[in-house]
Amino acid sequence: MRETLQAQGRTRVRWVVAGMMWAAIAINYIDRTVLSAAAPRIQSDFHLSAVQMGIVMSAFFWSYALLQLPAGMLADRFGQKKILGLAVLWWSLATAVTGVATGFKSLVALRVALGVGEAGAYPSNAGIASRWFPRKERATVAGIFDSGSKLGGAVALPLIAFMLALFDWKITFAITGVLGIVWCIVWQFVFRDSPGEHPRVNAAELAHIRDGQTPNAGDTARNTVPWRKLFAHRNIWAMCIGFFMINYNSYFFITWLPTYLVKERGMGLMEMGVMASLPLLISMFVEVLAGWASDRVYASGRLSLTATRKLFLIVGLLMASSIGLAAFAHSAAMAVVLLCIAKSGMTVAASQVWSLPADVAPKNMVSMVAGVQNSVSNMGGVVGPIVTGAIVGATGSFVYALLFSAALIVLAIINYLFLLGKVEPIQFDEYPMELMHHEPRKV
């Protein structure tokens, strides 16, 4: 039977799905990065202090971080198609109306609204990866969809800088909001929650997906294990703590980096737009390559899944620690080079970070585990811009802010080395199996 399916040839619909996942994250980051690219102009127009601007930048993460778990629970309960589609539509509308902001308070409120919608993106994508891809392709698809965040930022920064030179910054928000609405229309026709329900997935591709999946990748069953029990496991804590420290660093590149290049390194607006995009653009390709490479290492049998994940996490974080060296760079060009290395290292780690939920989640709780991880990690996005703004405001320089970021990377390395245990699905043996296979609620 297997030989017959192989002779038939597999369709590749799962990679079309991966492309849609990538596009959702790219649009996600374009919409959240618009404010960062326009920050110098907005700060000047509304006469905001560095601390106020830090609060505005972090406001998005208040709702985004808090709603990760509910978004993951909804995606597991009602399906990723509905939840991700609704999420993209919500955040696109929130982006489009951000141009009506009139000052500090309205900017904060609109950024909170944006975070409500964007909370559904990553938990939904993690759930899709578990259902549509076998384990040996898991890091590749994680690298693909998360790389959309780097392209989104890389495209947004120079594009917004160019648009700012031509138009008022408020027009930009309306234009970028349209992208997500177009994506939503395509999504409804392209995606199904289960590959078995997709009319263009043939038997060979379906067998390839199902043969390489772990027990947590069921198509329809709903797990009734309380989400609070997840916190009894050390791997969940390790995933959350490590990703918090990575995200604290990552969000520097889409919040304070443009201001750093303009005020600390003396760049003009157009030069800033190009230079600020380089770490994101380069890291996009690095992340996909890292995901592919880790899948090849694991598939070769030379390393266990645990050793593979830890190897790429540590190598990536060692690269990421170069963010501290950028503080002492004698030239703007060298600072940008070091920041490119740092951001690329963060994405090497991220290709593994976004594989872990599908690796360790109990049956049909992948989106929920991803939501827990992303909720805690994005507290780094809440505190990061504020702490950076406070350090810059107190010292008049970014030097100590960058050194503090590097110190957190060192702690992340220790966390993944010693707290993260064996990478395998979490088992809840005390729950009868019949409680683990209820049909999902129909809506």
Side-chain angles (χ1 to χ4, degrees):
M1 180 63 180
R2 183 183 298 271
E3 289 75 10
T4 301
L5 292 177
Q6 290 176 343
Q8 175 185 348
R10 290 195 298 264
T11 51
R12 301 177 65 84
V13 177
R14 66 193 186 282
W15 297 113
V16 176
V17 171
M20 291 297 295
M21 296 161 69
W22 172 87
I25 299 301
I27 295 169
N28 180 298
Y29 269 74
I30 289 173
D31 288 353
R32 74 170 74 172
T33 305
V34 173
L35 179 72
S36 300
R41 185 72 58 84
I42 293 174
Q43 188 174 1
S44 176
D45 287 353
F46 293 142
H47 307 290
L48 302 179
S49 67
V51 173
Q52 284 180 311
M53 200 65 220
I55 292 173
V56 170
M57 289 177 176
S58 75
F60 159 85
F61 297 100
W62 303 347
S63 54
Y64 182 74
L66 291 174
L67 294 178
Q68 289 292 311
L69 176 58
M73 295 173 70
L74 289 172
D76 283 332
R77 180 78 177 273
F78 299 116
Q80 284 79 19
K81 180 175 182 176
K82 292 175 182 175
I83 299 305
L84 183 56
L86 179 61
V88 177
L89 180 62
W90 177 283
W91 89 56
S92 298
L93 294 175
T95 299
V97 301
T98 299
V100 305
T102 57
F104 174 71
K105 292 181 180 179
S106 58
L107 277 172
V108 169
L110 288 166
R111 293 295 287 182
V112 170
L114 178 69
V116 172
E118 294 206 0
Y122 274 96
S124 294
N125 269 1
I128 293 168
S130 74
R131 294 183 175 186
W132 273 85
F133 293 87
R135 182 189 291 186
K136 64 183 178 182
E137 296 175 350
R138 199 69 51 73
T140 300
V141 72
I144 289 173
F145 77 70
D146 190 49
S147 72
S149 65
K150 288 72 187 177
L151 181 69
V155 168
L157 288 169
L159 178 61
I160 301 310
F162 175 74
M163 294 181 70
L164 285 171
L166 296 178
F167 309 110
D168 184 88
W169 61 266
K170 297 183 178 182
I171 298 175
T172 304
F173 286 94
I175 295 174
T176 55
V178 174
L179 292 175
I181 296 173
V182 173
W183 182 94
C184 288
I185 296 172
V186 177
W187 181 246
Q188 296 306 310
F189 292 98
V190 168
F191 185 70
R192 302 291 186 276
D193 278 318
S194 168
E197 298 172 355
H198 201 290
R200 295 187 179 180
V201 174
N202 67 7
E205 182 175 22
L206 186 60
H208 173 74
I209 293 171
R210 296 273 171 81
D211 287 349
Q213 287 184 330
T214 49
N216 59 3
D219 283 330
T220 58
R222 176 169 61 87
N223 199 312
T224 59
V225 174
W227 64 267
R228 297 174 188 83
K229 291 188 68 63
L230 293 172
F231 291 100
H233 294 265
R234 59 183 283 185
N235 280 354
I236 298 297
W237 282 101
M239 290 161 61
C240 292
I241 293 170
F243 200 19
F244 169 90
M245 296 172 185
I246 294 171
N247 263 357
Y248 180 99
N249 280 263
S250 291
Y251 284 119
F252 171 80
F253 290 84
I254 63 168
T255 55
W256 280 107
L257 179 58
T259 303
Y260 167 75
L261 294 178
V262 171
K263 295 188 175 181
E264 188 97 343
R265 294 296 177 176
M267 294 185 181
L269 186 62
M270 293 303 297
E271 184 184 11
M272 175 277 291
V274 175
M275 291 298 104
S277 71
L278 284 180
L280 301 172
L281 189 61
I282 293 171
S283 65
M284 176 186 71
F285 296 102
V286 171
E287 182 167 14
V288 176
L289 179 61
W292 175 85
S294 69
D295 279 340
R296 299 288 73 75
V297 170
Y298 173 62
S300 73
R302 287 179 294 219
L303 293 178
S304 67
L305 183 62
T306 301
T308 301
R309 295 284 181 255
K310 287 196 174 189
L311 173 64
F312 281 81
L313 281 167
I314 301 311
V315 169
L317 290 172
L318 288 172
M319 294 170 60
S321 65
S322 63
I323 192 172
L325 299 177
F328 302 106
H330 294 295
S331 67
M334 181 55 67
V336 171
V337 169
L338 290 168
L339 290 173
C340 286
I341 295 172
K343 184 59 179 174
S344 294
M346 292 171 204
T347 60
V348 171
S351 70
Q352 308 306 300
V353 163
W354 283 113
S355 302
L356 287 172
D359 292 334
V360 309
K363 187 176 178 64
N364 298 299
M365 294 179 71
V366 177
S367 288
M368 192 180 301
V369 169
V372 169
Q373 176 184 247
N374 214 27
S375 178
V376 176
S377 73
N378 274 281
M379 294 306 294
V382 174
V383 303
I386 296 176
V387 171
T388 299
I391 294 174
V392 172
T395 65
S397 170
F398 279 85
V399 170
Y400 290 102
L402 295 178
L403 290 176
F404 182 73
S405 295
L408 291 182
I409 291 295
V410 174
L411 293 178
I413 292 173
I414 296 171
N415 168 77
Y416 284 121
L417 276 175
F418 300 107
L419 184 58
L420 183 67
K422 185 177 181 180
V423 177
E424 62 182 357
I426 295 170
Q427 300 294 326
F428 290 101
D429 294 333
E430 68 271 27
Y431 284 84
M433 289 302 296
E434 61 267 19
L435 294 180
M436 308 282 281
H437 297 284
H438 291 290
E439 290 298 318
R441 178 179 174 183
K442 303 296 184 181
V443 294

